[in-house]
Amino acid sequence: MNFTAARRRMVQTQIVDRGVGDKLVLAAMRTIPRHAFLSQELWAEAYQDNPLPIGYGQTISQPYMVGLMTSLLELQGTEKILEIGTGSGYQAAVLGALAAEVHSVERIPELAASAQEKLVALHFNNITIHVGDGSLGWPEAAPYDGILVTAGAPVSPPGLPEQLKDGGRLVIPVGEHWRQILQVWIRGGDGFEIKEILPVVFVPLKGAQGWQDSD
Ligand code: SAM
């Protein structure tokens, strides 16, 4: 299979044609091998227009979601970014290609370890994976220029916007268990402008400020 051609097609038909125009995001997604973050049996499907299983009941997000959410951070290359929900590590790689420093938190240790291994193999040295409850953010490395949450939260966890720098952006799916609205929070001093982008479907954000296991 010609992965390079498949990636170019993916970016054009799934991302550009749906209105994402951030050239830096598009270039990163034409380069980063999504298949390398999946088990080999799924490589033939790696550039299709959907999420795919990565084990433990979790998924790698649809490429369009990765492109759209990343573009909403409006990265220039100098930023420190927090991702919540490392999963396969693919979104972290896209962020790592576009920002100066990336922290990514995953609650399932096995997924964190596998993502870490893949990112090292691809020579990303500006991404640190942490195991923990990302519904609390990652205060140790705060404040961030951007926070990207790749799981759906019942409400935006109160501690997250506080971990943004002034002018920083939080991109987060908020809503029901399997149906959310993608929101962008932009910090201006002690206040926040909140924009609603579109309806999305993400796996639940679990944890102290997310869904409980009993939900
Ligand atoms: N960004 C991922 C990628 O590129 O493959 C996709 C993430 S998947 C849709 C959501 C991830 O969020 C899952 O791996 C899940 O275990 C993780 N997650 C859910 N709740 C979490 C929490 N409180 N803290 C950290 N990770 C969490």
Side-chain angles (χ1 to χ4, degrees):
M1 179 164 181
N2 182 340
F3 290 124
T4 307
R7 260 197 307 277
R8 296 192 81 81
R9 243 188 341 268
M10 169 191 88
V11 168
Q12 184 59 45
T13 60
Q14 301 173 33
I15 303 176
V16 177
D17 289 356
R18 287 186 179 131
V20 175
D22 184 324
K23 290 196 164 35
L24 297 174
V25 173
L26 302 175
M29 292 187 69
R30 281 190 197 101
T31 311
I32 295 169
R34 188 172 190 253
H35 67 274
F37 294 87
L38 291 164
S39 62
Q40 204 162 347
E41 326 68 275
L42 291 174
W43 281 12
E45 295 169 53
Y47 298 100
Q48 292 178 5
D49 191 13
N50 44 266
L52 287 165
I54 55 172
Y56 307 92
Q58 306 303 322
T59 53
I60 185 173
S61 304
Q62 179 193 26
Y64 169 58
M65 257 324 118
V66 174
L68 175 65
M69 290 172 84
T70 309
S71 72
L72 291 169
L73 290 173
E74 299 191 356
L75 299 174
Q76 304 298 321
T78 54
E79 297 85 357
K80 177 163 60 167
I81 301 297
L82 174 66
E83 179 197 19
I84 297 170
T86 313
S88 67
Y90 174 67
Q91 171 74 75
V94 173
L95 294 170
L98 296 170
E101 181 181 341
V102 177
H103 292 265
S104 182
V105 191
E106 172 56 54
R107 63 189 281 274
I108 300 174
E110 291 84 351
L111 287 178
S114 155
Q116 172 88 61
E117 204 176 287
K118 286 167 177 151
L119 291 165
V120 167
L122 290 168
H123 308 293
F124 281 96
N125 54 20
N126 60 344
I127 304 172
T128 310
I129 307 288
H130 306 278
V131 175
D133 179 2
S135 75
L136 303 171
W138 194 259
E140 289 88 332
Y144 303 98
D145 299 286
I147 301 178
L148 197 158
V149 184
T150 66
V155 292
S156 185
L160 294 188
E162 308 305 323
Q163 292 177 33
L164 285 175
K165 293 181 191 170
D166 196 14
R169 293 172 158 245
L170 165 67
V171 178
I172 181 168
V174 177
E176 295 167 32
H177 215 204
W178 289 99
R179 207 168 59 138
Q180 307 92 20
I181 300 287
L182 187 62
Q183 295 184 346
V184 182
W185 293 51
I186 304 168
R187 183 165 197 166
D190 288 333
F192 296 91
E193 180 193 352
I194 303 174
K195 295 184 186 172
E196 298 209 325
I197 308 299
L198 80 178
V200 290
V201 179
F202 276 86
V203 296
L205 179 77
K206 303 265 185 166
Q209 299 293 334
W211 296 95
Q212 308 304 304
D213 277 330
S214 54
D215 288 328

